[in-house]
Amino acid sequence: MISRRKLIVSGFAGATGLGAAAALARRYNLIPPDRNNLFVAGETLTYATQRLLTLHQPLAREFDRSRISNVFPVNGDPPETEIYERHVAENFQNWRLTVDGLVAHPFTFALDDLKGLPSHSQITMHICEEGWSYIAEWTGVRLSYLLNLVGAQPQAKYVVFHPFDKNWDSLDMADALHPQTLLAYAMNGDPLPTQHGAPLRLRVTRQIGYKSVKYLSRITVTDTLKNIGNGLGSVSPDLGYSWYAGI
Ligand SMILES: Nc1nc2c(c(=O)[nH]1)N[C@H]1C(S)=C(S)[C@@H](COP(=O)(O)O)O[C@H]1N2
Ligand SMILES: [Mo]
C-alpha cells in the first residue's frame, strides 16, 4: 500500500521528485493510456494522484428529486447508421449488448435481460466539458454487477465501451467497479430517450460528460488498450481531449 503522503511528497518535490513519481506511477499502473511518459504530462500526475486519493471509492454527490433539472441538453446526436436507425425503428427489440474479452462467460444481453437484473437509480449531475451541466435521474444496472456476472478475470485492467458511433472510450477498473458507474436504460423514469443514448448508455459520475458513452453496442474487458483503435484508450486523444477526465 502506498501512503497519500508518499505520493504527495513525490508529486510536489518538483524536478527531483519527478523520477520518483514516474517510478511510483509505473509501479502502480497509474500512467494513463494516452501518455507514454510521465515527463510530457502533468496529466499522469493528476491521474495518479486522484487514483491514490480516491482508493476508497468516494461517491459523487447525489441530489434530491426536487433538484432534477428542467432542461436536458444533448451532446452527440444519434448515430446516422443504417443499423442504429433500424434498432430505433424496431424499438430495440433486436438490439443486443455483447460483453466479451477477459471474462469467464462472454454473453449477449437483450434489453429485457438487462432490465431483469437488479436495478439501481441515482440522481447525479452530468457535466459536459463545454461548460453546461444538468441533474437527472438515471436507472440501470451497475457495471460492477454485470462484470461479476460474466466473470471478469483478475488480470482485467480496463473496460472498453463500443457505441454505434465513433465515440468509443474506456475506464480503468477503479471507475468500472465504482458503485455509481451505471449502464443506464432509463432517465427520469422513462426509457432512455434516443438522443440521450438509447437503448443503453454508460454513466460515470466521477468524470466529465464525454466519458459517459451513449448508444452502446459492445463492452470488452481487457488488460491492454494498445491493440484497440488508436491504442490510446479512447477517441478523445484524437480530438485533443485526455483519456482521463476526472472531476
Ligand atoms: N456514443 C456517444 N456517446 C457520447 C457522446 C457522443 O457523441 N456519442 N457525447 C458525449 C458528451 S460530450 C456528453 S456531454 C454526453 C452528453 O449526454 P447527453 O446528450 O445525454 O446530455 O454524452 C457523451 N457520450
Ligand atoms: Mo460533453
Side-chain angles (χ1 to χ4, degrees), residues 72-77 79 126-130 132 134 138 162-168 187 192-193 195-197 201-202 208-216:
F72 308 98
V74 167
N75 203 352
D77 287 332
H126 174 96
I127 304 166
C128 176
E129 69 288 354
E130 292 176 359
W132 46 264
Y134 61 83
W138 283 274
H162 302 278
F164 286 96
D165 64 10
K166 295 192 167 71
N167 292 284
W168 71 284
M187 183 178 176
L192 194 62
Q195 67 274 22
H196 289 293
R201 79 171 305 166
L202 180 66
I208 293 287
Y210 62 80
K211 296 297 286 189
S212 287
V213 181
K214 306 197 282 189
Y215 321 112
L216 290 175

